[in-house]
Amino acid sequence: MLPCSIVSTSIALPGISGIESFIDLLRHTPLEFSTDTVDLPASDLLPIRLKRRMSRLIQMTVSTTFQARQSCAGSADAPLVYGSANGEINTIGSVLNEIFQEPPLVSPSAFHNSVHNSAPGYWSILTRLHHASTTISAGETTFGCALLQAAAMLSDRDPFVQLTVGDEKIQVPQWADPGHTNIDFCGSMVLSRHTSGDALAHIIDLRHMHGPEATEYQKEAHPIRIASGYRHPCAAFYVLLEFLHAPSSSGRIKLVEGDPESGCIGMTIERS
Amino acid sequence: MNPLHFLDFSAVSALGPDRDTLFQNLIDRRPGLSYASSIVPSTSSPLGEIPFALPAPPPPLDRFHSRCHRIAYACLRPLDASIRAVVEAFGADRVGVVCGTSASGNRSVEESWQNDGRFDFDYHHLHTFGCVSRLLKRLSSLQGPAFSVSTACSSGSNAIMSAARLIHSGTCDAVVTGAVDSLCLTTYHGFQSLQIVDPDYCKPFDADRKGLNLGEGAAFFILSSKPLADYPGIARLLGMGASSDGYHMTAPDPEGLGAKLAMQRALEDAGLVPGDIDAINLHGTGTPLNDMAEARAVYQVFGDETPCSSTKGYTGHLLGAAAAIEIAACILSLLHGTVFANHGMSRQDPGIRIRLLTEHLRQSVRRVVKNSFAFGGNNTSLVIGI
């Protein structure tokens, strides 16, 4: 695996849309959110007609993907790796409610919005881009596996790859373990195979591991959580964004997702 | 790209529990579609439902008991020996799992709802998209990375492309890959709502086609960086191409621009030209818009000479597993020198100018292109060869 660089980022969190407001948030310790869901305003990118049809996850994905790409010249055709543990679980929940009504009447738009890759689909429709795109899900290692995939694309041939990872708070289906994801969060970054220049940071180690190697790696790793009381499958990405943008952070951070028995993704990132 | 090696594969669908019955039913032109269904008893269209019993994963993995997982387990079992061989050759930590799925455990939620409506339901073992890959990893005692790919009807091809990248990047030496999906009420009623289901047997590329028939199943492959002594390889992955339509969530770009890009990128990746391709296994769902757009794209890239067919008239549309079962059919074409007929078509749409096969074509088949397209305008093409 080639070392690679993080050249731009963006984030959506409750009350936060974009890096500038995120940096403001990081000045508050401990982090506090007045709500656990994201409500983005309608915009040129999210026209009100389409916004009404989109889940919060789709809105967050489109917005963060746009912002990160806008900050990186040359990445317009970059492939998109999209990671989400639960995908459109709230929409699936509403479709399941509909099919058990009598007669079962499913909304066509709810049905096509229920597929896991709805968000990257909308992104390409809104931007009319023809890039390659894939969607990955791996529970608590969703971010790490998506990053492995993005890095593999870079080492293959692509100069830039965009990685967007997110999940929305589970609300509709009670069977889907709502406590597992109780806050909206989505983040995006553009990765470059070039490690020089004005990169935000460099990924100097990225690997899958298990057993004693993973246990050792974990000992030095940074704790993974967004804020007290909140659980999110992609929290490691939040911690990475915090490391990249908190005024006080410097040097390296080591992150591990997963557990040593079933397998971990470990990564070390160094700020430029 | 550096070619990768398919060392072994298995397939489970309405056509049968293994790859031999898949081949025999394709050759005999015996589709697996029927109006008899235990999942949708009142179905108004034929379904490719697996008609035989599906085994549950053994303890302690019996918590993964969704229909999707049982299909996956049935499909994985024939690969025990070849998985052992790659583990012995490379080490368990060098073998990963990448599995495509679209509906995942929806059927389990439905069963829970229908049984008692209480939802004492194990979401993490039955529904999350990542759990099927976790199951396959644990069933095979593998220690490499495991994740699922979910891009609707192109999930299987995207899973294989992800697996190939893990090998090319040096993360893995071999990957168990492919895709699985089960029938469920959600997809049945969902596609009915989109009004793209044929109430009769589907007829891809026919002038009178009305839509698709749903199916279920799985196909898994052992993709490896190199052949092994006992598994010298049955086919090779030569090229991969992907694109987005950027057009509509369900309707394809009418001119097939995204599909054309995916095919061109796959050929370029393989270092081949259209004339090098012996046959194309089409996405060919049987919907009026999809078939027309795909035919236009194929015509622009390949002209009207390359033999083409869709195998969805035999299996139905396996959604997340469609590409996987159709790649299995492609490998069977390579192994047996047969391009399968486009079943169901009696009169080719006069607006479609590609060469669609109404009978099996027996000839040397060295390289095939496999197209798969999906909701969200997600397009993939793979080049597979001997």
Side-chain angles (χ1 to χ4, degrees), chain A residues 245-259:
Chain A
H245 296 289
S248 59
S249 67
S250 62
R252 292 180 178 183
I253 191 170
K254 210 171 220 187
L255 300 170
V256 179
E257 281 186 331
D259 66 82

Side-chain angles (χ1 to χ4, degrees), chain B residues 9 19 22-23 26-27 234-235 278-282 307-311 314 325-341 357 360-370 384-386:
Chain B
F9 74 103
R19 71 195 216 192
L22 172 65
F23 175 70
L26 287 170
I27 279 291
I234 46 181
D278 297 314
I280 303 170
N281 184 301
L282 301 161
C308 298
S309 61
S310 161
T311 43
Y314 303 89
I325 198 81
E326 290 155 18
I327 290 164
C330 289
I331 294 176
L332 291 169
S333 286
L334 295 165
L335 293 175
H336 296 278
T338 303
V339 186
F340 303 109
L357 300 177
H360 296 327
L361 180 65
R362 310 247 184 191
Q363 64 172 36
S364 166
V365 186
R366 297 159 301 145
R367 300 181 198 96
V368 297
V369 162
K370 169 70 213 125
I384 301 160
I386 292 174

Side-chain angles (χ1 to χ4, degrees), chain A:
Chain A
M1 185 83 62
L2 288 173
C4 56
S5 302
I6 301 168
V7 291
S8 69
T9 61
S10 65
I11 187 169
L13 264 175
I16 302 294
S17 173
I19 290 300
E20 295 307 318
S21 52
F22 181 52
I23 291 170
D24 280 344
L25 176 81
L26 291 175
R27 295 201 177 96
H28 304 286
T29 307
L31 289 185
E32 283 183 6
F33 301 104
S34 57
T35 174
D36 45 27
T37 56
V38 167
D39 184 13
L40 296 171
S43 63
D44 289 348
L45 190 67
L46 294 173
I48 192 73
R49 183 182 57 84
L50 271 178
K51 184 175 180 279
R52 275 197 213 105
R53 289 191 197 173
M54 295 173 167
S55 67
R56 296 193 316 279
L57 179 59
I58 295 172
Q59 293 176 32
M60 290 191 293
T61 301
V62 166
S63 173
T64 56
T65 304
F66 176 76
Q67 288 179 36
R69 197 167 290 215
Q70 204 178 28
S71 311
C72 177
S75 65
D77 294 328
L80 176 64
V81 178
Y82 173 63
S84 180
N86 304 306
E88 299 296 329
I89 190 67
N90 291 329
T91 305
I92 291 171
S94 67
V95 170
L96 279 160
N97 274 326
E98 289 175 337
I99 65 171
F100 285 106
Q101 305 302 312
E102 198 55 51
L105 288 175
V106 176
S107 148
S109 61
F111 176 61
H112 68 59
N113 279 2
S114 73
V115 296
H116 209 98
N117 62 315
S118 282
Y122 274 104
W123 161 251
S124 71
I125 291 164
L126 288 167
T127 56
R128 301 200 174 279
L129 291 170
H130 299 292
H131 56 275
S133 167
T134 192
T135 299
I136 283 168
S137 177
E140 300 291 331
T141 57
T142 295
F143 166 55
C145 287
L147 183 57
L148 266 185
Q149 186 64 196
M153 284 172 147
L154 286 174
S155 61
D156 203 11
R157 64 176 168 187
D158 294 296
F160 294 101
V161 173
Q162 184 158 16
L163 172 66
T164 301
V165 172
D167 273 288
E168 62 183 1
K169 177 186 175 183
I170 296 176
Q171 284 182 306
V172 176
Q174 290 304 307
W175 44 262
D177 186 6
H180 170 254
T181 309
N182 60 6
I183 187 169
D184 289 351
F185 162 61
C186 186
S188 184
M189 60 184 175
V190 176
L191 300 166
S192 166
R193 65 188 304 170
H194 302 295
T195 52
S196 57
D198 52 358
L200 291 167
H202 306 294
I203 299 173
I204 57 176
D205 185 33
L206 176 63
R207 66 176 101 157
H208 179 270
M209 59 195 151
H210 63 97
E213 181 192 9
T215 305
E216 281 304 305
Y217 208 97
Q218 261 186 338
K219 285 178 186 168
E220 298 171 17
H222 194 281
I224 291 177
R225 69 171 193 176
I226 291 180
S228 179
Y230 292 112
R231 295 185 65 199
H232 195 282
C234 304
F237 193 16
Y238 172 83
V239 176
L240 171 56
L241 290 170
E242 190 180 62
F243 169 71
L244 294 178
H245 296 289
S248 59
S249 67
S250 62
R252 292 180 178 183
I253 191 170
K254 210 171 220 187
L255 300 170
V256 179
E257 281 186 331
D259 66 82
E261 191 185 347
S262 56
C264 295
I265 309 285
M267 61 195 82
T268 305
I269 295 99
E270 185 173 70
R271 274 186 69 158
S272 298

Side-chain angles (χ1 to χ4, degrees), chain B residues 177-252:
Chain B
T177 186
V180 58
D181 245 343
S182 73
L183 278 167
C184 59
L185 296 171
T186 311
T187 48
Y188 174 81
H189 291 297
F191 278 98
Q192 293 283 355
S193 77
L194 292 171
Q195 301 181 321
I196 52 172
V197 176
D198 194 329
D200 200 347
Y201 293 95
C202 67
K203 303 171 274 292
F205 302 98
D206 191 276
D208 191 33
R209 65 190 182 281
K210 300 268 190 316
L212 53 82
N213 297 154
L214 292 170
E216 64 180 354
F220 293 138
F221 310 85
I222 311 293
L223 191 65
S224 170
S225 59
K226 64 180 184 184
L228 303 180
D230 290 342
Y231 291 91
I234 46 181
R236 293 187 304 158
L237 180 61
L238 303 176
M240 317 188 292
S243 73
S244 299
D245 263 4
Y247 180 76
H248 190 270
M249 275 302 288
T250 54

Side-chain angles (χ1 to χ4, degrees), chain B residues 93-273:
Chain B
D93 60 336
R94 298 290 302 165
V95 183
V97 174
V98 183
C99 183
T101 186
S102 185
S104 186
N106 277 355
R107 181 63 195 142
S108 284
V109 189
E110 295 168 3
E111 285 170 337
S112 177
W113 197 307
Q114 287 172 314
N115 287 341
D116 55 19
R118 283 188 293 110
F119 304 118
D120 47 351
F121 175 80
D122 185 349
Y123 174 66
H124 298 285
H125 287 88
L126 292 175
H127 193 281
T128 57
F129 292 86
C131 64
V132 67
S133 298
R134 207 154 31 103
L135 170 66
L136 296 173
K137 177 177 175 172
R138 292 181 66 182
L139 282 167
S140 307
S141 301
L142 299 175
Q143 293 174 344
F147 58 84
S148 296
V149 170
S150 190
T151 56
C153 304
S154 57
S155 299
S157 285
N158 272 310
I160 289 172
M161 289 200 274
S162 284
R165 292 184 197 114
L166 288 181
I167 297 172
H168 281 148
S169 65
T171 303
C172 295
D173 291 309
V175 179
V176 178
T177 186
V180 58
D181 245 343
S182 73
L183 278 167
C184 59
L185 296 171
T186 311
T187 48
Y188 174 81
H189 291 297
F191 278 98
Q192 293 283 355
S193 77
L194 292 171
Q195 301 181 321
I196 52 172
V197 176
D198 194 329
D200 200 347
Y201 293 95
C202 67
K203 303 171 274 292
F205 302 98
D206 191 276
D208 191 33
R209 65 190 182 281
K210 300 268 190 316
L212 53 82
N213 297 154
L214 292 170
E216 64 180 354
F220 293 138
F221 310 85
I222 311 293
L223 191 65
S224 170
S225 59
K226 64 180 184 184
L228 303 180
D230 290 342
Y231 291 91
I234 46 181
R236 293 187 304 158
L237 180 61
L238 303 176
M240 317 188 292
S243 73
S244 299
D245 263 4
Y247 180 76
H248 190 270
M249 275 302 288
T250 54
D253 178 331
E255 296 306 314
L257 175 60
K260 177 181 158 186
L261 277 173
M263 286 184 272
Q264 289 172 329
R265 289 171 180 172
L267 287 172
E268 183 188 355
D269 193 40
L272 298 172
V273 296

